[in-house]
Amino acid sequence: MNLPELFFYLFAGVTVGFAVVVAFSTNLLHSAFTLFFLLFFMAGFYALLGGDFLAMVQLMVYAGGINVLLIFGTMLTADVAQPERSNLSFQGVLTFFSGVAFTAVLLAVFEHTTWPLLEQPAEVGPTTIDIGKLLLKEYVLPFEVISFLLVAAMVGAIMVVKGGKEQ
Amino acid sequence: MTLQAYLIVSAVLFSLGAVMFVSKRNTIAILMGVELVLNAAALNFVAFAYFTPSQASQLDGQIFAIFIILLAAAEAVVALGIALAAYKAYRHIQADQLVALKG
């Protein structure tokens, strides 16, 4: 077994295990911190798939930004009296079995589909230069739209939290 | 590794995320489910870009994954803003009790 394969199984096991903890832990803070480490291991997948820049984006934006925000939100709104009951489910058994059934359907689809695979995936070098060129040439319109969307989301979030009319 | 292996991992993540956002009571837990689903989608994009790249560029899938991460950031900011505003108004964020808009 070669090294990338070993790392894949490591990342896959840890990611799936952590996702189960995130989904079924009854303490919301445990879920939030487990999600943090899950996002680290997702960056490992991206590195295995030749996305070095993407792995760094995942670490900095997702783990460092979004997840810290989630932990903040958890701490600001959690019921401090009963932290171990902060992440309850309703209809837990029913949704669990629907989820298992849905996963089984997806796995069957993957098993019975033939993908137009390359014989040998191309060796990928550093991708940052090419991603920069793509973002400023082919994808310049989505790039500008998403920057506008981020500004709008930021202003909207401030408006929602502060209420807007109290000055 | 094969494409199927990555697809299986992302299918499991997607299902767990979907289970979370249909069954959790806490609004922030629902948001975490959405994050899991978005991560599964981004992993699929990157895996397909590696194993079956598009004709135009090998990196199209990775560009999509970057856009997914940015959209997740925007979505998390707005959803947490709504959660904090709901907490200020009701002192809880249990999704099954936030029924003020119910007709």
Side-chain angles (χ1 to χ4, degrees), chain B residues 13-96:
Chain B
L13 288 182
F14 182 92
S15 304
L16 284 168
V19 164
M20 275 185 88
F21 67 65
V22 296
S23 75
K24 287 297 178 186
R25 283 178 195 273
N26 196 311
T27 311
I28 293 183
I30 295 174
L31 186 58
M32 286 178 197
V34 177
E35 303 293 342
L36 276 184
V37 169
L38 288 171
N39 259 293
L43 179 61
N44 257 5
F45 268 116
V46 180
F48 275 108
Y50 184 70
F51 289 103
T52 68
S54 71
Q55 304 280 317
S57 165
Q58 216 185 347
L59 295 172
D60 278 350
Q62 295 193 16
I63 300 273
F64 265 91
I66 289 176
F67 283 135
I68 288 174
I69 291 174
L70 293 180
L71 279 176
E75 167 256 334
V77 167
V78 174
L80 279 175
I82 293 172
L84 288 182
Y87 186 73
K88 274 206 306 200
Y90 299 105
R91 313 308 297 171
H92 69 80
I93 49 168
Q94 305 298 314
D96 53 339

Side-chain angles (χ1 to χ4, degrees), chain A residues 57-68:
Chain A
V57 169
Q58 168 89 3
L59 283 185
M60 291 197 288
V61 179
Y62 234 121
I66 299 174
N67 202 262
V68 169

